[in-house]
Amino acid sequence: MDYKITLEDVRSKFADDRFATENGAVIEEIGDHTATCSLNITDSHRNAMGAVMGGTYFMLADFTFAVAANAEKMGCVTLHADISFLGTAKGNKLIAKASCLKDGKTTVCYRVDVMDELGNLTSTVTITGFRVG
């Protein structure tokens, strides 16, 4: 099945998601209830210990979920999210991949894995979303 929405359309749709985009999140790929987003790690993403701040992982995961769940039609918001931090990024870039586990009438469930460009899994997030529209 060919996906009907273009990457350019989705990037335009999410251009106003300023918290994510101004913090460096970039939409790399979209598909049927899937998305891949990335972020180049800068000093502003680091905590006092020099590691990537946990909020950076979560922001990228939540944004990637939003793209995957709303690419075709806006109206799905995060209802609950659970993040497990598994390790620190060793590289200079984070990559988040969202995949749909359940696509119901009013609720959805996604898993988002966040890794660095070296393939180190840094966190995994399970997100339950609610369709408001």
Side-chain angles (χ1 to χ4, degrees):
M1 176 173 129
D2 291 329
Y3 195 64
K4 299 174 187 161
I5 308 298
T6 68
L7 183 59
E8 293 75 26
D9 290 340
V10 174
R11 284 179 175 164
S12 177
K13 183 185 285 191
F14 284 91
D16 287 336
D17 197 326
R18 292 180 38 204
F19 185 79
T21 57
E22 289 179 11
N23 276 288
V26 175
I27 302 168
E28 300 288 350
E29 295 178 20
I30 55 160
D32 187 18
H33 301 288
T34 65
T36 302
C37 297
S38 68
L39 176 140
N40 289 319
I41 300 168
T42 67
D43 287 342
S44 66
H45 297 115
R46 298 190 181 278
N47 61 23
M49 294 181 0
V52 175
M53 172 69 79
T56 303
Y57 298 113
F58 185 80
M59 177 275 298
L60 184 61
D62 191 50
F63 180 66
T64 306
F65 156 75
V67 171
N70 291 290
E72 286 191 50
K73 180 183 176 199
M74 287 294 220
C76 189
V77 297
T78 299
L79 181 64
H80 176 82
D82 182 53
I83 188 167
S84 294
F85 297 104
L86 305 171
T88 59
K90 307 286 189 267
N92 298 312
K93 184 176 188 175
L94 294 177
I95 301 157
K97 296 184 179 207
S99 58
C100 184
L101 303 175
K102 178 190 186 300
D103 183 30
K105 278 185 169 182
T106 57
T107 60
V108 299
C109 184
Y110 280 74
R111 177 180 167 151
V112 185
D113 289 330
V114 182
M115 62 199 77
D116 64 18
E117 82 275 17
L118 304 173
N120 298 305
L121 186 61
T122 61
S123 58
T124 187
V125 185
T126 304
I127 300 176
T128 301
F130 179 72
R131 295 189 198 282
V132 294

